[in-house]
Amino acid sequence: ELKSLDELVKSRFIEMFGNPMDEMKWNSTFTEVVIFNPKKSEVKKDMEIEASFVPMEAIGTDGSFSIRKSGKIKDFYKGYTYFKDGDVIFAKITPCFENGKIAIANHCANKIGFGTTEFHVARPIPGKTNAEWIMNLLRNDSLHTYASSKMTGSAGQKRIQTPFFEKLGVYLPPLELQNSFADFVHLVDKSKFIVQKEIKDLQELLDKKMDEYFGQ
């Protein structure tokens, strides 16, 4: 059922925006419709405030996002990728990119996060794009397959590099249409939450029955 809900979102994306790889519809490049890999100098003056840290394993292929630890910005400023709540973060290295590790950052301390240098960050531009549209554009099967074929580097260390996104053509739909899609995604997320809770409750019941059986 969870898989079916994910497929429903993918289908709705195509229904509303068409195939992202349709060159006839392209009216922008990807880096024109997002703030790509925003500069960490935005928080340079805030070295003493708390921020969150998110390693690669905290990003799920299902779009999940979790925080593993926190510390001061100065603890993460050098050597890590900067992002903030509402940014779309995604893996750029194999096999994590091919596996679809991508999520929208949320609930970071002071809304500020850092993660591995193997993340790319795509920040929505106010009045132009929203995070749900960006995330599902990158998750689209045809675009994702094409991007995977353009990874460069040696075996086991291939990455999808910044120049790819600078040249990647996209169709930028009206923000109102993006927001309508985001509303739909949020409704589906509520349904997924219910299913996930049912799975958790069933697992807890099964564990309890197993404990009772083997405890006899």
Side-chain angles (χ1 to χ4, degrees):
E1 189 169 351
L2 288 172
K3 185 176 180 180
S4 295
L5 289 169
D6 284 337
E7 291 300 321
L8 182 62
V9 171
K10 289 184 178 182
S11 297
R12 188 57 175 266
F13 184 92
I14 295 295
E15 178 185 322
M16 295 181 71
F17 309 118
N19 181 355
M21 300 311 297
D22 181 0
E23 297 181 21
M24 298 296 293
K25 295 188 66 176
W26 290 351
N27 57 9
S28 301
T29 62
F30 185 75
T31 52
E32 289 175 335
V33 302
V34 303
I35 300 170
F36 195 68
N37 292 330
K39 297 183 182 301
K40 66 178 72 176
S41 57
E42 292 179 351
V43 295
K44 189 174 183 179
K45 66 182 185 301
D46 300 318
M47 290 292 188
E48 295 298 323
I49 71 171
E50 186 179 8
S52 297
F53 184 79
V54 179
M56 183 66 76
E57 58 268 25
I59 303 298
T61 57
D62 59 352
S64 58
F65 175 91
S66 59
I67 294 166
R68 295 301 169 87
K69 66 178 182 179
S70 61
K72 292 183 178 181
I73 288 178
K74 66 181 182 181
D75 298 329
F76 310 123
Y77 192 83
K78 291 184 178 180
Y80 294 106
T81 299
Y82 156 72
F83 54 87
K84 68 179 185 179
D85 280 8
D87 289 351
V88 178
I89 62 176
F90 58 101
K92 63 182 178 182
I93 191 169
T94 190
C96 300
F97 177 80
E98 296 98 322
N99 292 342
K101 279 182 169 280
I102 179 170
I104 300 173
N106 61 84
H107 298 114
C108 292
N110 293 303
K111 300 184 178 181
I112 298 170
F114 287 86
T116 170
T117 56
E118 300 297 352
F119 284 144
H120 278 310
V121 179
R123 177 174 296 170
I125 297 176
K128 181 177 279 192
T129 46
N130 70 36
E132 293 292 357
W133 175 77
I134 296 168
M135 178 173 171
N136 283 278
L137 172 68
L138 293 169
R139 294 184 74 183
N140 174 266
D141 290 339
S142 58
L143 189 151
H144 190 262
T145 299
Y146 174 68
S148 297
S149 72
K150 297 298 182 180
M151 299 180 80
T152 59
S154 58
Q157 291 292 315
K158 288 188 175 183
R159 292 175 176 84
I160 189 73
Q161 305 286 7
T162 298
F164 170 81
F165 295 99
E166 292 173 338
K167 298 176 182 177
L168 177 64
V170 298
Y171 162 62
L172 175 64
L175 185 60
E176 294 80 6
L177 199 60
Q178 295 180 49
N179 290 339
S180 177
F181 174 72
D183 290 341
F184 175 78
V185 172
H186 295 156
L187 286 174
V188 172
D189 284 345
K190 290 180 181 179
S191 297
K192 289 173 68 175
F193 176 80
I194 293 172
V195 174
Q196 288 165 339
K197 186 176 185 305
E198 290 174 346
I199 293 172
K200 181 182 178 182
D201 291 345
L202 183 60
Q203 185 63 55
E204 289 177 350
L205 178 61
L206 178 61
D207 290 343
K208 181 179 179 182
K209 293 296 184 181
M210 292 291 284
D211 288 342
E212 290 175 353
Y213 178 81
F214 287 106
Q216 291 179 350

